[in-house]
């Protein structure tokens, strides 16, 4: 592994680059062989003396230092080295929600409803913590993230969601984030945010409502050019999910539309309130929505093993070879899926492997990376909600996954369009 030092940090590899900074995986070395893997967010040198950009960069570090929550990455340091500023942050080893979706499509395992709800619930908790945060004098920071998007939500291998990038957050700690400025990603902006008016926590609820809508319907909510998208947000109510999916659960539709109301006074009032509604929905349908369910899905769509670094290992190889296997190892994701049954309006039924909805094909091009619109909206259909054939002896109705044992059903043949979908995704990403 090639590396170079930047200040007191060893840069291991470049992870990404954005409009104002580049991101590196780094290693912070201490005394006695101590080290910690971290992320270095380094401001581009040409922006280091740009007052507004530098102020935003520094404020992001100061805000995150006031937040201590498992669903928000920690900031360890703000510094200056080699002519530019940098942040040292917690390293989140995982994938963002957009990437998880694409990999799920390639693995023929679309993100199920219980995983979608589990992700959104964790982001609700992160937002609520940020919205309620105060400074050391006890004054409310009144943070509004303003850029809650699928690509700003990271998922660790343990199934923990992390809300990233507070770079354009509004806060009372920064005077240049008041009304009149429009910052964020257009497709996820609330109407008041598009108009450049004052925003509060309900703007983040709207953005999360857009994500929930797209993850559960398989259709992008706002389409077109930036002007067309902004016009739709300001002038049109979100179409009911049931107009695109007749079998969409009525109780979920009520929650989604309440989060997407154009009048912020009529919208779900906070991320905590949205979380309570979703938790009650999950309980009514018997869904398990914790990190373990998310971790099982991630392991299913992309099994992985860490790269061995013997030079920094703590356990000698001979000792590791003699270690007994764990007796408490969780069941594999494959066995968990085999044990799943499905809930319909007619009751619990056995079912073969869940097919993908055909609506997926209409939006598949949106899964490709597009620098002209960062990030692109997801076009996803959780299999429990769409694309199901009528189960024998039951009526068509909303379908969700329950984690309960069932007898194995005869496997259905793989849909032909799945192979075509994977081929198109490979071509778009340059793999084919």
């Amino acid at each position: 592994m090639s590396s170079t030092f930047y200040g007191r940090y060893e840069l291991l590899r470049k992870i990404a680059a954005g409009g104002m900074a580049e991101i590196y995986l780094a290693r912070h070395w201490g005394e006695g062989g101590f080290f910690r893997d971290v992320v270095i967010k380094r401001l581009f040198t040409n922006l280091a003396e740009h007052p507004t950009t530098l102020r935003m960069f520094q404020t992001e570090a100061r805000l995150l230092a006031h937040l201590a929550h498992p669903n928000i990455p920690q900031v360890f340091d703000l510094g200056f080295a080699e002519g530019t500023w940098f942040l040292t942050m917690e390293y989140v080893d995982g994938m963002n929600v957009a990437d998880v979706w694409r990999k799920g499509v390639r693995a023929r395992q679309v993100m199920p409803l219980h995983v979608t709800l589990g992700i959104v619930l964790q982001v609700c908790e992160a937002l609520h913590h940020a919205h309620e945060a105060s400074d050391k004098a006890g004054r409310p920071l009144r943070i509004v993230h303003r850029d809650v998007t699928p690509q700003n939500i990271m998922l660790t291998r343990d199934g923990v969601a992390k809300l990233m990038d507070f770079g354009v957050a509004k806060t009372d700690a920064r005077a240049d984030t008041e009304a009149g400025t429009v910052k964020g990603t257009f497709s996820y902006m609330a109407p008041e945010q598009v108009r450049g008016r004052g925003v509060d926590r309900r703007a983040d609820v709207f953005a999360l409502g857009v994500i929930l809508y797209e993850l559960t319907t398989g259709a992008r909510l706002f389409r077109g050019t930036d002007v067309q998208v902004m016009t739709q947000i300001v002038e049109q109510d979100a179409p009911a999910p049931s107009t695109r999916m007749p079998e969409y659960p009525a109780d979920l539709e009520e929650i989604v539309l309440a989060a997407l109301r154009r009048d912020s006074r009529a919208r779900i009032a906070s991320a905590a309130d949205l979380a309570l509604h979703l938790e009650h929905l999950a309980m009514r349908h018997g869904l398990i929505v914790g990190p373990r369910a998310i971790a099982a899905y991630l392991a299913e769509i992309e099994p992985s093993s860490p790269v061995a670094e013997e030079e920094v290992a703590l356990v000698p190889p001979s000792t590791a070879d003699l270690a007994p296997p764990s007796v408490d190892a969780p069941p594999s994701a494959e066995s968990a899926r085999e044990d799943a049954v499905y809930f319909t309006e007619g009751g619990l039924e056995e079912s073969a492997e869940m097919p993908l909805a055909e609506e997926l094909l209409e939006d598949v091009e949106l899964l490709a990376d597009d620098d002209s619109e960062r990030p692109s909206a997801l076009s996803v259909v959780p299999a429990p909600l769409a694309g199901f054939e009528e189960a024998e002896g039951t009526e068509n109705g909303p379908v969700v996954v329950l984690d309960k044992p069932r007898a194995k059903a005869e496997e259905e043949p793989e849909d032909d369009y799945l192979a075509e979908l994977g081929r198109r995704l490979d071509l778009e990403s340059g793999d084919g």
Side-chain angles (χ1 to χ4, degrees):
M1 179 183 298
S2 61
S3 62
T4 183
F5 274 85
Y6 173 70
R8 60 182 178 274
Y9 299 99
E10 181 186 10
L11 302 182
L12 302 180
R13 62 181 172 87
K14 190 172 183 177
I15 298 175
M20 60 185 290
E22 51 190 353
I23 311 296
Y24 288 89
L25 172 62
R27 185 161 287 167
H28 181 202
W29 289 97
E31 299 297 330
F34 169 86
F35 73 90
R36 178 201 293 264
D37 286 343
V38 296
V39 162
I40 297 292
K41 184 175 182 179
R42 186 167 65 180
L43 190 65
F44 288 130
T45 305
N46 64 308
L47 298 176
E49 297 182 1
H50 188 272
T52 301
T53 302
L54 179 57
R55 186 162 54 248
M56 289 174 57
F57 190 81
Q58 294 173 338
T59 301
E60 179 182 8
R62 294 169 59 195
L63 283 180
L64 287 172
H66 281 79
L67 304 180
H69 193 273
N71 299 119
I72 299 175
Q74 292 181 283
V75 164
F76 304 126
D77 192 16
L78 170 65
F80 184 86
E82 299 182 12
T84 191
W85 288 83
F86 69 91
L87 299 178
T88 306
M89 305 177 64
E90 171 188 354
Y91 172 47
V92 181
D93 185 11
M95 299 178 286
N96 66 47
V97 169
D99 289 339
V100 168
W101 170 250
R102 284 192 287 267
K103 290 183 182 296
V105 170
R106 291 193 177 99
R108 312 303 199 258
Q109 303 292 350
V110 179
M111 186 184 293
L113 178 61
H114 70 283
V115 173
T116 298
L117 294 180
I119 293 169
V120 174
L121 281 167
Q122 291 189 54
V123 179
C124 282
E125 298 301 332
L127 286 171
H128 180 66
H129 177 78
H131 294 160
E132 292 292 321
S134 299
D135 64 15
K136 294 301 182 182
R139 301 186 184 94
L141 289 168
R142 294 189 176 89
I143 297 172
V144 184
H145 189 283
R146 297 200 299 184
D147 200 19
V148 181
T149 66
Q151 290 192 357
N152 279 340
I153 302 170
M154 291 288 293
L155 302 178
T156 72
R157 292 290 176 181
D158 293 328
V160 177
K162 299 273 188 178
L163 179 60
M164 313 292 288
D165 199 352
F166 282 73
V168 298
K170 171 195 173 296
T171 171
D172 282 3
R174 187 168 68 199
D176 62 348
T177 59
E178 296 303 317
T181 60
V182 179
K183 295 181 179 179
T185 305
F186 289 124
S187 298
Y188 299 90
M189 286 185 182
E192 62 272 21
Q193 187 175 353
V194 171
R195 292 179 181 273
R197 297 176 178 174
V199 297
D200 58 22
R201 63 184 65 192
R202 292 170 293 186
D204 288 340
V205 171
F206 186 94
L208 203 48
V210 176
I211 294 174
L212 186 59
Y213 186 105
E214 293 176 346
L215 290 173
T216 55
T217 64
R220 190 169 182 178
L221 181 52
F222 301 114
R223 295 173 173 273
T225 65
D226 289 346
V227 173
Q228 290 171 333
V229 166
M230 290 188 288
T231 301
Q232 293 170 36
I233 292 173
V234 171
E235 298 182 357
Q236 301 175 14
D237 292 328
S242 59
T243 62
R244 296 176 171 178
M245 293 173 54
E247 65 272 31
Y248 199 93
D251 50 356
L252 180 57
E253 178 172 87
E254 183 179 2
I255 295 170
V256 171
L257 292 180
L260 290 173
R261 287 176 183 153
R262 286 188 291 157
D263 185 351
S264 62
R265 296 169 298 180
R267 198 178 301 153
I268 291 179
S270 70
D273 289 342
L274 177 58
L276 284 174
H277 287 301
L278 295 177
E279 285 171 347
H280 290 160
L281 181 143
M283 287 189 291
R284 286 195 299 271
H285 291 285
L287 297 174
I288 298 176
V289 295
R292 291 183 186 274
I294 299 172
Y297 176 69
L298 294 177
E300 183 175 5
I301 64 172
E302 190 182 56
S304 66
S305 58
V307 176
E309 295 184 69
E310 291 293 341
E311 65 274 13
V312 292
L314 294 178
V315 180
S318 58
T319 305
D321 293 340
L322 296 175
S326 172
V327 296
D328 297 324
S332 67
E334 182 178 355
S335 64
R337 180 170 290 277
E338 290 178 352
D339 289 338
V341 297
Y342 306 103
F343 177 85
T344 71
E345 289 181 344
L348 294 175
E349 296 292 338
E350 297 181 2
S351 175
E353 183 178 352
M354 298 179 292
L356 293 174
E358 292 186 0
E359 295 94 309
L360 207 62
L361 295 175
E362 300 176 3
D363 294 335
V364 68
E365 69 277 4
L366 298 175
L367 297 175
D369 291 331
D370 184 0
D371 293 335
S372 64
E373 183 179 349
R374 190 190 74 82
S376 59
L378 295 180
S379 302
V380 298
V381 181
L385 292 179
F388 283 81
E389 298 176 358
E390 182 175 0
E392 184 177 355
T394 66
E395 298 179 357
N396 281 334
V399 185
V400 293
V401 178
L402 298 183
D403 297 320
K404 293 183 180 180
R406 69 168 176 88
K408 289 187 177 180
E410 183 178 352
E411 184 177 354
E412 293 181 356
E414 186 177 274
D415 295 321
D416 292 338
Y417 65 82
L418 289 181
E420 173 64 15
L421 178 58
R423 186 186 68 81
R424 293 178 62 184
L425 285 174
D426 289 339
L427 290 175
E428 290 164 358
S429 62
D431 297 338

